[in-house]
Amino acid sequence: MAKDSYLVGLIGSGIGPSLSPALHEREAGRQGLRYLYRLIDIDTLHVPPEAVGDLLRAARDLGFDGLNITHPCKQLVIEHLDALAPQAEALGAVNTVVFDTAGRATGHNTDVTGFAASFARGLPDAPLERIVQLGAGGAGAAVAHATLTLGAGRITVVDALPERAAALAAQLNRHFGDGRAVHATSDRLPGLLTTADGIVHATPTGMAAHPGLPLPAELLHPGLWVAEVVYRPLETELLRAARTLGCATLDGGGMAVFQAVDAFRLFTGREPDAAAMLADITDLAGASRSPAAGKR
């Protein structure tokens, strides 16, 4: 028989302002489910990211049905799992863990499908021949896979850690074919953005703890589209600057919703109402006007 009661949670750093609990619990309420979504903040617990394995085991022992995983634990959690779904294995990053009835933990990644669905909905006609992506962490890996899956010609990955950008580009080429991804240092951004079709931003810049722009505003121009991963605030400084110039833009709210849609389905086996959850994110994000952490 299908369950009508679920206990899930989110492990990460600085996740107090996350909208995931409300998104999941609102949808569960519409479906008549008892659904408790707990935040497990490593900062509040005063434990390092490497403690994710202990937290995972504790959640399993306490009867959790599943967990969402966010920065900085999306890659660290992998060694503590019993199995990986193909998407998560290809990325080397996990944002959703499901416990089966035997207590086995399987890692999934709904960031990929979440960004792809959001992009297809919000920028359906955007040219995809040349993309510059800022950020090569767990979220960066997910959105790069998503944009290449959507048919992007080539992605240039730029990260504050050049070796991380190089590693992601190599991984993308192994998965999608040689030449689909390259890496570059930030000093090359002026030349890259002159000929780029769009920018995907996948760093923490724009959140409350990391205010500001991820690149000099003068590098933006009306010929670019700009897609954001941060969703609180829905209008980051980057999106504000881009819209002022007339760029087509995509905020991070859609990705937050569609990854939650997929996670809810994995946790419960039930089909969520994506349209209602999109309305929820606008309502929830608007209820708190002060910029806050965008971790899911």
Side-chain angles (χ1 to χ4, degrees):
M1 293 180 62
K3 292 176 54 169
D4 62 2
S5 179
Y6 294 87
L7 174 61
V8 300
L10 171 65
I11 295 177
S13 169
I15 55 176
S18 173
L19 297 182
S20 288
L23 275 176
H24 280 251
E25 290 177 355
R26 281 190 178 196
E27 177 56 23
R30 283 189 286 265
Q31 300 208 19
L33 303 176
R34 291 176 292 171
Y35 196 103
L36 185 59
Y37 193 114
R38 290 294 196 192
L39 296 180
I40 305 169
D41 194 322
I42 62 173
D43 295 347
T44 302
L45 295 173
H46 305 293
V47 297
E50 291 75 16
V52 65
D54 294 331
L55 297 174
L56 185 82
R57 285 185 288 273
R60 179 194 60 202
D61 293 344
L62 289 168
F64 276 66
D65 295 287
L67 295 165
N68 284 135
I69 310 291
T70 191
H71 176 81
C73 301
K74 291 183 180 182
Q75 290 153 328
L76 292 169
V77 74
I78 290 175
E79 65 181 284
H80 304 287
L81 301 174
D82 299 300
L84 286 176
Q87 189 78 265
E89 186 172 16
L91 263 75
V94 163
N95 81 323
T96 303
V97 175
V98 178
F99 298 113
D100 66 18
T101 54
R104 284 174 49 85
T106 299
H108 302 262
N109 195 300
T110 67
D111 284 335
V112 179
T113 51
F115 185 81
S118 177
F119 194 96
R121 175 180 175 272
L123 292 173
D125 301 317
L128 295 170
E129 188 58 34
R130 297 173 302 276
I131 296 173
V132 174
Q133 178 173 304
L134 306 178
V143 298
H145 273 253
T147 49
L148 286 171
T149 299
L150 288 169
R154 188 170 78 167
I155 293 178
T156 301
V157 183
V158 179
D159 192 89
L161 300 174
E163 65 276 12
R164 187 163 68 170
L168 176 56
Q171 179 203 68
L172 294 168
N173 285 327
R174 286 193 299 271
H175 191 74
F176 292 97
D178 289 342
R180 300 295 299 281
V182 296
H183 66 280
T185 52
S186 58
D187 61 311
R188 290 186 53 204
L189 281 174
L192 290 169
L193 293 179
T194 299
T195 58
D197 294 312
I199 301 171
V200 176
H201 175 233
T203 84
T205 304
M207 299 178 187
H210 306 276
L213 289 164
L215 78 173
E218 58 268 23
L219 297 184
L220 299 171
H221 59 83
L224 292 167
W225 52 259
V226 178
E228 177 68 270
V229 169
V230 175
Y231 76 89
R232 292 193 73 189
L234 281 176
E235 184 177 75
T236 60
E237 291 185 49
L238 173 62
L239 291 184
R240 190 177 305 115
R243 286 171 181 157
T244 298
L245 290 171
C247 300
T249 61
L250 178 70
D251 65 48
M255 179 180 177
V257 167
F258 286 111
Q259 67 83 22
V261 164
D262 292 343
F264 187 94
R265 187 185 299 112
L266 286 167
F267 291 148
T268 67
R270 298 169 185 259
E271 190 60 35
D273 185 339
M277 293 176 76
L278 284 165
D280 287 340
I281 197 76
T282 301
D283 178 49
L284 291 165
S288 178
R289 294 295 180 184
S290 59
K295 292 164 188 167
R296 291 163 174 77

